[in-house]
Amino acid sequence: MATAGRSTGFYLEGTEWFCNSSLPSDITLVVDGISFHLHKFPLLSRCGRIANIVEETQITNKKSIVVNLEEFPGQSDTFLAIVKFCYGSRVELTPRNVVMVYCAADYLEMTDDYGEDNLLPKSESFFHKHVLQNWKDCILALQSCEPVISRAEKLHIVGRCLNALSAMVCTDTTLFGWPMMMYGSLQSPGGSILWNGINTGARIHSIESNWWFEDISYLNVELFKRLIQSMEARGILPENLSGAIMYYCKKHIPGLGRRQGGQSGISRSVASFSMTPAAVDQRVLLESIVKLLPEKKGKSFCRFLLGLLRVALILGVNHTCQDSLERRIGMQLELATLDSLLIPSYSDSDTLYNTDCFERIIHHFVSSEPNVTSISPSSLDLETSPSSGRLKRVARLVDNYIAEVASDVNLKPGKICALAEALPESSRSLHDGLYRALDIYFKAHPWLSEKEMEHLCNIIDFQKLSIDACAHASQNGRLPLRVILQVLFFEQMQLRRALAGCLNGLDTESAPAASMTAPNEITGQTVQRDGWVTVVRENQVLKVDMERMRTRVGELEQEFTKIKEEMKKASKSHSYLSSPRFISRRIGCRLLPRSSDAEPDVVESTAPTPRASVEQAQSSSRHSRHRKSFSLF
C-alpha cells in the first residue's frame, strides 16, 4: 500500500518501509517492530553507529544485513525522519520533536565526524538557541522528554530545561518573549498593542506572580517535583511554590478543589500549546507532593492540608505521608474549621467519622506547644500567656467537634473522654461546650448505664459552668441524680459567694462615709448628706439584687425538698410492699393485733431542712473537696 511517503522517496507496505529506488536494498533496520529496507551508503555517510555495525558484519562476508536497533530512543516515525535526512531530505525541527531527534541522533552517533552539518549538532544548536530561550517551547520540550527520559538525562536536556524555566520565573517575563513581546511592545495612546504601527485592538494585561501555575501543571509528577526543587534552590518565594503545588494537586486530584474554591487569578492558559495533561498516579502524587510542601501557616493552606489528608485516607497512602500531613495540620490546628475536620471514616470502622485521626492531630498540636505541658493550670495566666489564644480556639474547636460527632450511635464513651482530655485543663475557662456535647451524647445513647454516665460527667468541672448552664443542668432529666445534686450544690455555693461579695462591698463603701465626719461642721454635714444619698441609691440596687438571689435560693430549696420527699416515698413504698401485713391481706389472712400495731404510725422527721443540709454539705466539702465522688475535675 503506497502512501504519501512515495512522493518523498519512501512508501509503506504493511509494517515495512521501502525506498523508491531502482537499486535493491542491501541493509534492513528494524525499529519498534517496523522494518526499513535501505541502502548502506547514505547511512554510512551520516551514522557512526551503523557504520560500525556494517564494518563488523563485512568480516563475515554477508551481502544483506539485518540489524535490530534495540533501545532506540523514540518510535518508528522519528527513525523515518532521520532516514530521510540521511537520504538528503530536510528535517524540520520543532519544540515537540527536537528532544526525540536529539536523542536519536546521539544514539546513532550522527556527529560532524560523519559529515558536515550533521543532525546531532543541528539539534543541539536548535535546542540551545530556540527552546531554552522561550517559555512555551521549553515547557513543550520538557514534556516530550518523558518517553526518552534516561537518554535525555544523559544529554542534560532535562536539567537545562529545568534551570531555564526556573530562571524565567525569577525574571521579568517581558525579557524572554512572553507574553507581550509576541504581540509587540509598542502601545497606542489608548493603551492598545501596536504591531508595526497597526492597532491590534488587544490590551496589555498585568502580569501576576501565578501566571506559570497552569503551564507547569501539564508535567508529570517527577518532572514537576524536580522543577519545584529547582525553583526552591533559586530562591523562589515559598508562597509562590506552595501556590503552584496547591494548583497542581487541585488539577490532578478530583474532588480536592471542591472545598477549596475556584481556581481564579490565572492570567493565561497553556491550552494554546495543545498539550495533553500528564497521566498522574494520585497515590504517587500525594506521597511525592507532601515532601515538597513548605512549612507554611494560613487558613487556606490548612484547609488544603485537610483536603489532602481526606484523599490520602481514601487512597491508603503510606504511614509516613499520613503522619506528615497530621503533624502539619496539628501545628496550625487553631486555623482549621469544623467542616474540614469532619473527615469520614473510610476504613472498616463502625463510627461515622475518623475520630482517631482527629485525636492524633490534637496530640500533635499539644506537642507543638511546649509551654502548655510545662506550666501547671494554677500558674498559667490564660489572659497574658502567648499561647492562651491558640489554646482557647482549639478547645472551642474540640468541644464543637465532640458535639458534632456525639450523635453517632456507634461512638464509644471512651473516645469522648479521650478527645476531651487530650487538651490540658487550663485550655478551658468554661465547660459549657463540654456539657453541651455530653447532653447531645446522652440523648443519642439512652441505653448508657448510670455508672457510664457518671464516668463521662467526670470530664466536666461543674464549678466552671456558667449560670445558664447550671440552670439547664439542674433541670436536665438525662443527667444522673448524683450529678444534678452536685450541680445544685455548686450553684448554691456560687450564690452564697455572690451574696457575701455584695455585703462586703456595702460595708467597705459605707465605712469611708462614716469616717469623714467632722473636722468642721459645715463640711461634715455636706459630706454626710452626699454619702447618704449615694448609700441609699446603692442600697436600693442591692435590695433588688438580694431579692432576686433570695428568690433563686427559695426555688432551689423547694427543688431540694421535692427530691427528698420523692426519695422518702420510694423507700416507704418499698418497705410496705415487702411487709407481712401487706402479704397477708393479699392472700386473705388476718394477723393478730400487737400492741405496737394498735398505735398509730408516727414518723419523726429528723432530717435537716434544705437550708441546713446545704450548709452541712458546704462544711463537709471542706474535708472532701478533692474526692472524685463529689467534685468532677
Side-chain angles (χ1 to χ4, degrees):
M1 180 181 68
T3 63
R6 184 180 296 273
S7 61
T8 58
F10 294 91
Y11 61 95
L12 177 66
E13 290 184 358
T15 59
E16 297 181 341
W17 281 95
F18 295 90
C19 179
N20 189 14
S21 174
S22 59
L23 297 176
S25 173
D26 55 1
I27 185 171
T28 302
L29 301 177
V30 181
V31 176
D32 197 21
I34 305 297
S35 299
F36 292 83
H37 300 276
L38 306 172
H39 304 87
K40 294 179 183 179
F41 179 75
L43 299 177
L44 295 179
S45 61
R46 291 291 187 179
C47 305
R49 187 184 187 95
I50 296 179
N52 295 331
I53 293 174
V54 171
E55 184 178 355
E56 292 176 359
T57 55
Q58 283 180 349
I59 302 176
T60 60
N61 295 323
K62 290 184 178 180
K63 294 183 180 180
S64 180
I65 304 174
V66 179
V67 179
N68 187 9
L69 298 179
E70 299 178 353
E71 300 180 358
F72 179 80
Q75 298 177 346
S76 58
D77 53 348
T78 304
F79 186 73
L80 178 62
I82 293 177
V83 168
K84 291 179 180 179
F85 176 79
C86 294
Y87 275 79
S89 299
R90 180 175 175 271
V91 176
E92 182 180 359
L93 296 176
T94 65
R96 296 180 184 277
N97 68 0
V98 64
V99 175
M100 289 288 187
V101 174
Y102 193 173
C103 294
D106 179 74
Y107 175 84
L108 296 174
E109 300 178 9
M110 302 178 69
T111 62
D112 288 337
D113 296 337
Y114 296 90
E116 295 181 359
D117 200 17
N118 209 345
L119 191 57
L120 183 59
K122 287 176 67 71
S123 302
E124 168 65 25
S125 177
F126 181 86
F127 178 77
H128 180 73
K129 292 181 179 179
H130 298 280
V131 174
L132 295 181
Q133 307 301 322
N134 187 279
W135 170 267
K136 178 187 74 173
D137 296 343
C138 197
I139 289 285
L140 290 171
L142 187 59
Q143 191 186 38
S144 65
C145 290
E146 297 175 18
V148 290
I149 190 67
S150 58
R151 188 163 292 271
E153 290 283 2
K154 176 184 174 183
L155 297 173
H156 306 290
I157 297 175
V158 177
R160 285 186 286 177
C161 286
L162 295 176
N163 291 333
L165 293 174
S166 301
M168 292 178 192
V169 171
C170 297
T171 312
D172 185 4
T173 54
T174 59
L175 298 180
F176 56 86
W178 187 89
M180 290 298 102
M181 293 302 292
M182 65 177 62
Y183 300 111
S185 58
L186 298 179
Q187 301 181 42
S188 68
S192 300
I193 300 173
L194 297 180
W195 181 263
N196 292 334
I198 302 173
N199 190 348
T200 62
R203 295 283 179 174
I204 295 181
H205 301 282
S206 60
I207 307 303
E208 300 180 6
S209 60
N210 58 357
W211 59 267
W212 46 277
F213 290 0
E214 172 70 12
D215 295 357
I216 66 173
S217 66
Y218 280 80
L219 302 175
N220 64 13
V221 177
E222 185 61 28
L223 290 177
F224 177 81
K225 175 182 175 181
R226 293 180 59 181
L227 179 58
I228 293 295
Q229 292 173 344
S230 176
M231 291 180 177
E232 185 178 8
R234 280 189 172 269
I236 303 294
L237 293 177
E239 292 78 9
N240 292 338
L241 294 180
S242 61
I245 295 173
M246 292 169 65
Y247 190 91
Y248 188 85
C249 291
K250 292 173 187 178
K251 182 170 183 176
H252 293 284
I253 300 178
L256 184 61
R258 178 174 58 88
R259 294 175 175 265
Q260 311 297 326
Q263 297 172 350
S264 60
I266 304 303
S267 58
R268 66 188 285 265
S269 173
V270 80
S272 59
F273 297 0
S274 300
M275 292 173 60
T276 56
V280 174
D281 187 341
Q282 296 179 3
R283 182 174 178 177
V284 175
L285 170 61
L286 273 176
E287 294 175 353
S288 301
I289 288 300
V290 170
K291 300 176 183 178
L292 298 177
L293 292 173
E295 296 293 338
K296 178 187 174 184
K297 289 186 178 182
K299 290 185 178 180
S300 60
F301 190 67
C302 184
R303 180 180 286 270
F304 169 72
L305 291 176
L306 285 166
L308 284 183
L309 180 60
R310 186 189 300 265
V311 177
L313 293 174
I314 297 176
L315 299 177
V317 299
N318 56 46
H319 177 73
T320 304
C321 177
Q322 180 178 341
D323 184 71
S324 177
L325 286 173
E326 292 173 354
R327 179 185 60 83
R328 291 172 180 269
I329 296 170
M331 293 176 64
Q332 49 188 318
L333 183 57
E334 74 279 2
L335 303 177
T337 56
L338 180 60
D339 61 331
S340 299
L341 290 171
L342 292 173
I343 302 175
S345 180
Y346 302 106
S347 61
D348 297 333
S349 176
D350 296 332
T351 57
L352 183 60
Y353 296 102
N354 196 335
T355 54
D356 295 334
C357 179
F358 182 63
E359 184 180 357
R360 291 192 296 268
I361 292 174
I362 299 175
H363 288 305
H364 283 300
F365 168 78
V366 175
S367 62
S368 66
E369 291 288 333
N371 295 330
V372 173
T373 56
S374 61
I375 301 178
S376 61
S378 59
S379 63
L380 181 62
D381 188 359
L382 290 176
E383 301 298 332
T384 60
S385 175
S387 60
S388 62
R390 297 186 64 197
L391 270 176
K392 288 181 179 179
R393 287 193 294 270
V394 172
R396 194 180 306 114
L397 191 64
V398 172
D399 294 346
N400 292 335
Y401 181 88
I402 298 175
E404 191 68 28
V405 303
S407 57
D408 186 2
V409 295
N410 295 321
L411 189 63
K412 303 300 181 184
K415 181 56 65 175
I416 295 288
C417 294
L419 291 175
E421 296 172 352
L423 290 175
E425 296 180 5
S426 58
S427 60
R428 297 180 178 92
S429 58
L430 284 177
H431 280 209
D432 291 5
L434 283 179
Y435 168 71
R436 172 176 169 268
L438 280 188
D439 187 41
I440 297 174
Y441 187 77
F442 290 156
K443 186 177 181 180
H445 301 76
W447 56 83
L448 291 176
S449 63
E450 193 85 4
K451 184 177 180 181
E452 289 177 329
M453 289 192 292
E454 289 182 359
H455 180 69
L456 279 174
C457 289
N458 288 340
I459 65 177
I460 301 178
D461 185 357
F462 292 98
Q463 297 187 69
K464 292 184 177 181
L465 290 180
S466 63
I467 297 177
D468 295 336
C470 284
H472 186 277
S474 62
Q475 301 176 8
N476 192 348
R478 288 185 288 269
L479 295 179
L481 180 60
R482 189 173 185 178
V483 174
I484 295 177
L485 292 175
Q486 190 171 359
V487 172
L488 292 173
F489 170 76
F490 285 121
E491 192 174 15
Q492 283 193 355
M493 291 282 292
Q494 291 178 2
L495 291 173
R496 288 179 180 273
R497 283 195 294 267
L499 285 172
C502 291
L503 295 176
N504 291 336
L506 180 61
D507 294 339
T508 56
E509 290 178 0
S510 60
S515 62
M516 292 181 62
T517 57
N520 56 63
E521 189 173 351
I522 299 175
T523 306
Q525 291 177 358
T526 305
V527 172
Q528 185 176 5
R529 188 184 307 112
D530 295 339
W532 277 112
V533 171
T534 304
V535 169
V536 169
R537 291 177 180 175
E538 293 179 351
N539 282 340
Q540 291 176 354
V541 177
L542 289 174
K543 283 181 180 180
V544 176
D545 294 339
M546 292 177 65
E547 188 63 30
R548 292 176 181 173
M549 293 183 183
R550 191 178 296 109
T551 303
R552 182 57 181 160
V553 171
E555 292 176 356
L556 293 175
E557 289 180 349
Q558 290 177 5
E559 292 176 0
F560 190 82
T561 304
K562 289 180 181 179
I563 292 173
K564 289 187 63 178
E565 289 177 357
E566 291 177 358
M567 293 177 65
K568 283 182 181 180
K569 290 179 181 179
S571 61
K572 281 183 180 181
S573 61
H574 177 71
S575 60
Y576 177 70
L577 291 175
S578 61
S579 63
R581 185 177 299 277
F582 177 78
I583 297 174
S584 64
R585 288 181 181 177
R586 293 294 303 270
I587 63 177
C589 298
R590 185 175 182 181
L591 297 179
L592 296 176
R594 292 184 300 177
S595 59
S596 60
D597 296 336
E599 299 177 359
D601 294 338
V602 178
V603 179
E604 293 184 357
S605 177
T606 59
T609 63
R611 188 183 300 275
S613 63
V614 174
E615 293 176 353
Q616 291 176 3
Q618 181 180 358
S619 60
S620 63
S621 66
R622 298 171 184 171
H623 303 285
S624 59
R625 182 171 299 170
H626 299 287
R627 289 171 52 192
K628 191 174 183 180
S629 61
F630 206 74
S631 61
L632 305 177
F633 294 100

